[in-house]
Amino acid sequence: MAENYFTAGQTEWLKLRRGKITSSEYHKLTKGGRRDMTEEELAEEKKRGGKRKTIDTLFGEGAITYITSRITEMQSSEIKEEMDFKQTEWGKNNEAAAAEHFEAITGLSIIHYGISCPQFFPYGDYAGGSPDFEVVDEPSIGEIKCPYDENVHTRRLLIKSIDQFKEEEPEAWHQCQMNTFIMGKEACYYASFDPRRIDPTLRMKIIKIKACPIWQEDFKIRHDAAINLMADILFDTSQYLFVE
């Protein structure tokens, strides 16, 4: 299906990002989980006078599922891309206008990639991201969102702080932070655009997200741990192929 929908350049983009931990999905690695303690751990806990029976883990079930899906995609002969075609088509038709609108109201010049000319910037061998644009005038990048659902844009118009953005748009927060880190930039502009607004001043909401050093340190830990899990299967496969 992707072969029929995407242009040759976009299909190449899909190939570059296949099996990679991408900025748009990195949020899946940010939720931890719990496991039952071993008998030895339970004994140590009892000695300390504690009553815990579980231990917090870096990755929860959803994160592990995402990691294994990267391995599956990497080893598959097919190029797959799940998408909402209505949303994607809407974004594709309006993203260029959104980029022009961003330049007009900010006075900044940008190099626009986006859906029409996607670029994948790798981070090591197993991760990467695709910011929608780079700012020429300052060390920043940007993400353009053109929601098909008008209510989504309205909710974004009501965001009043970065903390609120992090709370209400966690997936976008992690995407912006990862792309900023990968590109070595200082900030990411998150721009939501809806050309259907009668009042032109309400057609775009811009949130400038600065690079967060604390986020970056946590990312390094989770990235390395995920890569180690992937490598365990990719490079030590023989130990799993026959079990008795």
Side-chain angles (χ1 to χ4, degrees):
M1 185 175 293
E3 289 284 347
N4 295 329
Y5 182 79
F6 288 98
T7 65
Q10 292 163 332
T11 301
E12 181 61 27
W13 172 73
L14 289 177
K15 291 179 180 178
L16 290 173
R17 70 197 297 270
R18 67 185 300 183
K20 304 291 197 305
I21 297 169
T22 60
S23 58
S24 60
E25 295 188 307
Y26 173 71
H27 65 92
K28 296 177 181 179
L29 293 184
T30 62
K31 295 181 180 180
R34 290 183 178 181
R35 66 167 175 81
D36 293 334
M37 287 183 173
T38 63
E39 292 185 5
E40 293 77 10
E41 290 168 338
L42 286 170
E44 287 298 318
E45 179 71 7
K46 188 175 181 179
K47 288 180 182 179
R48 292 192 296 267
K51 298 181 179 181
R52 291 189 60 184
K53 295 183 179 181
T54 61
I55 288 180
D56 294 335
T57 58
L58 185 64
F59 296 133
E61 193 172 313
I64 296 298
T65 298
Y66 178 63
I67 292 170
T68 57
S69 76
R70 300 304 82 206
I71 297 170
T72 300
E73 188 174 273
M74 194 184 303
Q75 292 293 309
S76 176
S77 60
E78 296 183 353
I79 301 175
K80 297 180 180 179
E81 183 72 5
E82 295 182 3
M83 65 185 72
D84 180 339
F85 281 95
K86 187 179 292 185
Q87 167 68 51
T88 302
E89 186 66 26
W90 174 260
K92 184 177 181 180
N93 291 338
N94 289 282
E95 197 174 72
E100 292 178 3
H101 194 78
F102 177 88
E103 288 185 310
I105 64 177
T106 63
L108 298 171
S109 297
I110 67 173
I111 301 171
H112 181 222
Y113 305 125
I115 295 175
S116 60
C117 184
Q119 301 291 315
F120 183 76
F121 298 91
Y123 177 76
D125 295 327
Y126 301 103
S130 301
D132 290 325
F133 64 83
E134 289 187 68
V135 179
V136 176
D137 314 88
E138 60 181 54
S140 301
I141 56 169
E143 288 292 326
I144 294 174
K145 305 298 181 183
C146 302
Y148 181 76
D149 184 346
E150 295 181 68
N151 288 325
V152 172
H153 184 70
T154 299
R155 289 197 299 270
R156 289 170 181 164
L157 289 173
L158 296 173
I159 293 176
K160 299 178 181 179
S161 68
I162 298 299
D163 286 339
Q164 185 182 356
F165 175 74
K166 289 168 60 177
E167 179 69 24
E168 297 184 9
E169 301 268 358
E171 297 179 10
W173 163 259
H174 289 295
Q175 181 179 18
C176 290
Q177 286 294 339
M178 183 169 168
N179 281 337
T180 302
F181 178 65
I182 289 172
M183 301 293 289
K185 303 295 186 179
E186 295 179 2
C188 177
Y189 288 94
Y190 181 85
S192 181
F193 180 68
D194 186 352
R196 295 164 291 193
R197 299 296 153 135
I198 297 174
D199 184 346
T201 63
L202 298 179
R203 290 175 185 169
M204 180 166 280
K205 170 78 172 199
I206 300 174
I207 302 171
K208 188 176 183 180
I209 301 122
K210 295 180 180 179
C212 177
I214 295 176
W215 182 94
Q216 292 177 359
E217 291 305 312
D218 184 70
F219 167 77
K220 293 174 186 176
I221 293 171
R222 292 180 184 277
H223 168 270
D224 290 351
I227 297 309
N228 286 336
L229 285 175
M230 292 170 67
D232 188 40
I233 296 178
L234 288 170
F235 302 114
D236 294 323
T237 311
S238 58
Q239 63 178 308
Y240 304 116
L241 294 181
F242 186 86
V243 177
E244 63 178 337

